[in-house]
Coordinates of all heavy atoms in Angstrom, one line a residue:
V19 N 38.2 52.3 47.7 CA 39.4 53.0 47.4 C 40.4 52.0 46.7 O 40.6 50.9 47.2 CB 40.1 53.6 48.6 CG1 41.5 54.0 48.4 CG2 39.3 54.8 49.0
P22 N 45.2 53.3 47.8 CA 45.3 53.9 49.2 C 46.6 54.8 49.4 O 46.3 55.7 50.2 CB 45.7 52.5 49.9 CG 45.3 51.4 49.1 CD 45.4 51.9 47.7
W25 N 45.1 58.2 48.2 CA 44.1 58.7 49.1 C 44.7 59.1 50.5 O 44.3 60.2 50.8 CB 43.1 57.5 49.4 CG 41.8 58.0 50.1 CD1 40.7 58.5 49.6 CD2 41.7 58.1 51.6 NE1 39.8 58.8 50.6 CE2 40.5 58.6 51.8 CE3 42.5 57.7 52.5 CZ2 39.9 58.7 53.1 CZ3 42.1 58.0 53.9 CH2 40.9 58.5 54.1
D30 N 46.2 63.6 54.0 CA 47.0 64.5 54.9 C 47.0 65.9 54.4 O 47.2 66.8 55.2 CB 48.4 63.8 54.8 CG 48.5 62.6 55.6 OD1 47.8 62.4 56.5 OD2 49.3 61.7 55.2
G37 N 39.8 75.2 56.9 CA 39.5 76.7 57.2 C 39.4 76.9 58.7 O 39.1 76.1 59.5
C55 N 41.2 76.5 49.6 CA 42.4 76.9 48.9 C 42.7 75.9 47.6 O 42.1 74.8 47.6 CB 43.6 77.1 49.8 SG 44.0 75.4 50.5
P56 N 43.6 76.3 46.7 CA 44.0 75.4 45.7 C 44.6 74.0 46.1 O 44.1 73.0 45.6 CB 45.1 76.2 45.0 CG 44.7 77.6 45.2 CD 44.3 77.5 46.6
A61 N 43.5 68.2 46.8 CA 43.4 67.1 47.7 C 42.1 66.4 47.5 O 42.0 65.1 47.5 CB 43.8 67.5 49.0
R62 N 41.1 67.2 47.5 CA 39.6 66.5 47.4 C 39.6 65.8 46.1 O 39.0 64.8 46.0 CB 38.7 67.6 47.5 CG 38.6 68.1 48.9 CD 37.6 69.2 49.2 NE 37.4 69.7 50.3 CZ 36.7 70.8 50.8 NH1 36.1 71.6 49.9 NH2 36.5 71.1 52.0

Side-chain angles (χ1 to χ4, degrees):
V19 169
W25 188 89
D30 290 331
C55 63
R62 288 177 178 167

